[in-house]
Amino acid sequence: MTDVDRQIARSSEYLDRTRERSASLNARRRKRQGTEIVTRLGRIAAADVAILIAALVVGWIVPLGIGGAMLVMGALIAATLLLAFFPLAPEIRPETLVQVPLKQLSLKTEQWLETQRPALPAPAQTLVDGIGVRLEGLAPQLQTLNEQEPAAAEVRKLVGEQLPELLKSYARVPEALRGVDRNGQTPNQQLSDGLKVIDDQIAGMSAQLAEGDLNLLATRGRFLEIKYREDGLG
């Protein structure tokens, strides 16, 4: 294989990974948007039904008249608009990520990363997208990880502390200086390098957790095989 062929192969592999990452991100965004729409519609329906029931109850006691009907209509419109545009959950701040339960840490961090993405340079956006995919894969593994285990502390430190601190440090650099070389690197390059390290570390943690699960599965498999074969049931 010539150097040109190897370069083409690497470029093709990179494009494939980029397409897969983009497809995964788009699918997750569509899923979250669909869930948010359903949740908003449910809350709007519940609020409107509650207003109508309250209006009917009051109407049985005191005739509402045209003025009362207008008030009910105004309440329905106000409730619909408020629930349609009001945030479903409070804004995620990086300072709160260290307090998020481990089971929710991947999801919350990923959601916070999406809010930071538009302010990042293009290479960093691609890396953040990749980290989002890593976090999505890590999330199921954190569901069964004990908060007291050393692995849990490492995940929390990397995902809940070091990753937000990296982006916060970059955000404090004036925009005019982010592309200026300093000590051989620009802040943009330092950000990308830091994100690459974090991406690699998350991948390593996920692999270690998976290795533990695989070892546990193999141990249980051997136990069952020995037990039932020795009992003559196999």
Side-chain angles (χ1 to χ4, degrees):
M1 179 181 289
T2 66
D3 290 341
V4 173
D5 292 333
R6 281 191 288 270
Q7 183 63 40
I8 292 174
R10 283 196 294 268
S11 298
S12 178
E13 182 182 355
Y14 174 78
L15 289 173
D16 289 341
R17 288 200 307 269
T18 302
R19 278 193 288 264
E20 290 174 2
R21 183 164 56 229
S22 178
S24 176
L25 288 167
N26 290 335
R28 286 185 289 122
R29 286 179 183 135
R30 284 195 297 269
K31 182 178 178 180
R32 276 200 293 270
Q33 289 170 355
T35 301
E36 180 177 339
I37 289 172
V38 171
T39 301
R40 287 188 184 278
L41 290 176
R43 292 184 180 184
I44 289 171
D48 287 351
V49 168
I51 292 172
L52 290 174
I53 291 175
L56 287 173
V57 170
V58 172
W60 279 106
I61 301 172
V62 179
L64 295 178
I66 296 178
M70 294 296 291
L71 286 175
V72 171
M73 182 64 67
L76 290 171
I77 293 173
T80 299
L81 293 176
L82 180 65
L83 293 174
F85 297 104
F86 195 77
L88 293 177
E91 179 184 357
I92 300 173
R93 293 182 292 115
E95 297 81 8
T96 64
L97 290 175
V98 294
Q99 303 167 355
V100 172
L102 191 64
K103 294 181 179 181
Q104 302 175 15
L105 182 59
S106 284
L107 175 62
K108 295 296 184 182
T109 304
E110 184 184 359
Q111 291 175 342
W112 177 75
L113 280 177
E114 284 199 3
T115 66
Q116 305 304 301
R117 187 181 185 278
L120 302 177
Q125 288 183 359
T126 301
L127 289 166
V128 163
D129 290 344
I131 290 174
V133 174
R134 298 279 193 204
L135 291 173
E136 182 184 23
L138 184 64
Q141 296 175 299
L142 298 185
Q143 298 301 309
T144 56
L145 185 61
N146 191 313
E147 288 267 9
Q148 306 307 315
E149 293 186 30
E154 289 299 316
V155 170
R156 183 174 291 284
K157 186 173 184 62
L158 179 68
V159 176
E161 295 181 31
Q162 293 174 345
L163 174 57
E165 281 300 325
L166 176 64
L167 294 186
K168 284 167 59 181
S169 297
Y170 176 79
R172 287 194 290 267
V173 177
E175 189 170 351
L177 298 179
R178 293 176 182 177
V180 177
D181 188 286
R182 182 176 180 273
N183 298 326
Q185 275 192 316
T186 67
N188 286 339
Q189 292 169 333
Q190 292 172 339
L191 173 64
S192 293
D193 288 347
L195 290 173
K196 288 175 185 176
V197 171
I198 289 175
D199 182 73
D200 290 341
Q201 289 299 311
I202 295 175
M205 288 178 175
S206 183
Q208 289 177 0
L209 293 173
E211 183 67 23
D213 292 336
L214 290 170
N215 290 338
L216 180 60
L217 178 61
T219 300
R220 288 178 175 172
R222 285 194 296 271
F223 169 78
L224 292 172
E225 183 178 359
I226 293 171
K227 175 177 174 59
Y228 289 107
R229 285 190 175 177
E230 285 183 350
D231 290 346
L233 300 176

